[in-house]
Amino acid sequence: VGDSLREALDRASQRQRLHMPGHFGIVPPGGEGLPWALDQTEVEGLDSLSDPRAVLRGLAGRAAAAFGATHAWLSVQGATLPVMAGTLATAPHGSVIAADRIAHRSVLAAAVVGRYQVRWVAGIWDEHWQLWLPAPLGAWESALNGARLAIATVPTYEGLARSPAELAAAGHRRAVPLFVDAAHGSHWGRAPGLPPHVLAQGADLVAHGLHKTEPVLTQTGLLLTGAWNPGPRLEEWWRRLSTSSPSYPLLASIERYVTERAAGDGGWQAFAADMRDVWTMARRLGFRVLQAEWEEHGGVADPAKLTLMGDGPALAARLRGLGAEPESVGLASLTLIVGPSAGMDPQRWERLLAGLGPPPPARHHGALPAPGAMRLAPFEADLAGWRRIQLREAAGHVAARALTPYPPGIPAVLPGEEISACMRDWLAHHGEAGLHVEGLDPGAEGGTLWIVD
Ligand SMILES: Cc1ncc(COP(=O)(O)O)c(C=O)c1O
């Protein structure tokens, strides 16, 4: 297994490169500052990402150890590859799975490929914040009976969770493995003041998007397992879905991070304490802070997120006026992602929060209607004939594609779901307000969409 990936890359860079990629490690004009030298391919001395036997196998072993996992698979396809490969390897083709209604679209993609019958577990749409809160345990209980896999999003985009340990226990009582999509929870467990890592809370499989909250290059991720062994199908699905041209600069950034993580807390303990002071500071200035409220109600909240209530677009405009860019702009909120590397100190927070306030009241966009009846599984909707119709004719029809308002980026209608008259009106209202709905093509009279014929 031998030396580190970085050493192997440095050695390989000293040779005349007569192989892909086409820049051969030589900085092209205008490319200064980019990691050309590290951009290698799977040549002698490096390794194969889909069948690691040398430096990448060593790196995967060190990554597993740094997270307290038994095995780690390295991803240069974000958390999307871990979610899809983990799901398809675990739940047999055509089986029943239980999945969070707030799941990322990679879960939907796996559900189509795996031809699953999906029991969607609904979260709670909060009228005031106009965003999704995690589903209560009771909503999972019935969905778990007879399922072959449960997939939960922990934490949510805004850093909220209920107890993953209770969900894992509920699954294990029924012999259902729990796959936690912790794309936003790579840093959990690194220090007191952060929630424990989801593996330590009983998850069987975990997907991380490393770049979301940790200093690692975009498009890096991990799949982790604990004591539970998903068997050879995981290797097979990983290989089927992986790129055969992995990026070594991305892998080298994973190695840098794994070394840092094994050495200490990366400043997270002090950061977690400081962020709770920032929550207090924001509240003193008149803001409602989602994470602080969630924690006060007994939930688990991530200090790396700060969600303020108010007219999201207006808050974002003020923030940009102060020279900062938010992570996401909600209808009634603004979410920032921070961490020890963000370089924010109390004085900068004070200036920023004072400049944002007083909170502009949110415009109300109406209660999100309850989901319509699920008529077809996502794969059945995919295989059916599709027809384009006007939104005004949509009530009673079954959606062929997801209809996803941005924000919050979670489908209001899933493929295979019946579109109710209330949902049609709500979508029309979104369009009139100039809000973007993915899957709804703009046009006269509210636009058009694809339905199952
Ligand atoms: C909950 C969740 N899971 C998975 C993903 C996919 O991660 P990536 O974009 O790194 O592939 C995302 C991305 O936003 C996400 O929010």
Side-chain angles (χ1 to χ4, degrees):
V1 167
D3 49 17
S4 78
L5 172 61
R6 187 58 202 258
E7 284 163 348
L9 278 169
D10 287 343
R11 242 194 338 274
S13 296
Q14 285 156 21
R15 301 194 288 252
Q16 170 69 57
R17 289 167 53 169
L18 302 174
H19 53 76
M20 286 199 290
H23 55 71
F24 307 106
I26 295 164
V27 182
E32 297 79 9
L34 294 172
W36 301 100
L38 296 186
D39 194 19
Q40 296 266 1
T41 189
E42 298 179 313
V43 290
E44 175 68 25
L46 293 177
D47 202 355
S48 156
L49 185 58
S50 51
D51 187 16
R53 289 168 188 233
V55 283
L56 294 179
R57 185 153 164 200
L59 175 54
R62 292 199 299 283
F67 281 84
T70 308
H71 282 291
W73 283 261
L74 311 172
S75 167
V76 292
Q77 288 156 261
T80 296
L81 169 64
V83 166
M84 290 190 67
T87 303
L88 288 160
T90 311
H93 206 77
S95 61
V96 173
I97 64 170
D100 236 316
R101 184 70 167 68
I102 58 166
H104 182 256
R105 64 185 186 205
S106 48
V107 174
L108 198 52
V112 171
V113 177
R115 300 191 168 205
Y116 298 126
Q117 296 295 334
V118 188
R119 292 194 192 132
W120 297 102
V121 178
I124 295 170
W125 175 258
D126 186 285
E127 287 305 317
H128 297 287
W129 289 95
Q130 296 186 57
L131 50 77
W132 289 95
L133 303 176
L137 186 63
W140 283 96
E141 294 272 2
S142 54
L144 289 171
N145 291 327
R148 300 296 295 269
L149 181 69
I151 312 170
T153 308
V154 181
T156 64
Y157 194 57
E158 288 79 20
L160 309 185
R162 297 184 197 265
S163 165
E166 283 177 16
L167 180 54
H172 295 161
R173 278 197 296 279
R174 299 164 174 86
V176 180
L178 174 66
F179 187 0
V180 172
D181 177 355
H184 294 268
S186 311
H187 57 299
W188 284 23
R190 285 196 73 178
L194 292 176
H197 192 268
V198 288
L199 263 186
Q201 299 187 67
D204 298 292
L205 267 174
V206 175
H208 282 319
L210 291 175
H211 59 276
K212 294 191 190 299
T213 52
E214 290 280 42
V216 196
L217 290 177
T218 296
Q219 226 170 292
T220 52
L222 286 178
L223 181 68
L224 303 173
T225 54
W228 183 69
N229 182 351
R233 282 163 53 92
L234 182 50
E235 273 167 39
E236 198 50 35
W237 272 108
W238 195 266
R239 200 163 304 151
R240 284 176 185 148
L241 299 175
S242 290
T243 172
S244 45
S245 309
S247 159
Y248 276 90
L250 300 189
L251 291 165
S253 85
I254 296 180
E255 178 171 73
R256 192 217 65 83
Y257 171 65
V258 164
T259 307
E260 178 209 292
R261 187 171 175 124
D265 81 353
W268 279 102
Q269 183 172 357
F271 170 83
D274 290 350
M275 271 316 283
R276 288 189 168 80
D277 292 343
V278 172
W279 293 353
T280 308
M281 187 190 292
R283 295 173 112 182
R284 254 201 339 264
L285 290 163
F287 282 102
R288 285 180 63 183
V289 177
L290 176 65
Q291 292 75 17
E293 293 185 9
W294 186 253
E295 236 179 37
E296 279 165 4
H297 286 92
V300 178
D302 185 352
K305 302 285 169 79
L306 176 66
T307 303
L308 303 171
M309 187 185 275
D311 181 324
L315 280 171
R318 287 187 195 171
L319 187 76
R320 290 181 181 126
L322 296 164
E325 182 64 26
E327 165 61 24
S328 74
V329 184
L331 300 174
S333 64
L334 185 78
T335 296
L336 312 180
I337 296 191
V338 268
S341 329
M344 293 291 289
D345 60 28
Q347 290 73 31
R348 291 188 70 171
W349 274 118
E350 187 90 55
R351 272 202 308 276
L352 196 114
L353 292 170
L356 276 181
R363 279 169 289 175
H364 198 67
H365 292 275
L368 177 70
M374 196 56 81
R375 299 284 179 218
L376 298 171
F379 83 90
E380 291 166 330
D382 188 68
L383 290 176
W386 291 11
R387 182 158 62 90
R388 193 201 277 277
I389 60 166
Q390 292 289 137
L391 176 61
R392 64 180 152 71
E393 304 162 346
H397 287 287
V398 172
R401 301 173 64 193
L403 296 166
T404 309
Y406 276 87
I410 294 163
V413 180
L414 288 165
E417 212 167 72
E418 188 175 314
I419 303 166
S420 65
C422 295
M423 185 60 82
R424 174 204 57 200
D425 295 345
W426 191 82
L427 291 167
H429 171 71
H430 256 64
E432 283 157 19
L435 299 166
H436 177 68
V437 180
E438 211 175 83
L440 186 62
D441 299 315
E445 300 180 63
T448 57
L449 73 161
W450 292 92
I451 52 129
V452 168
D453 207 2

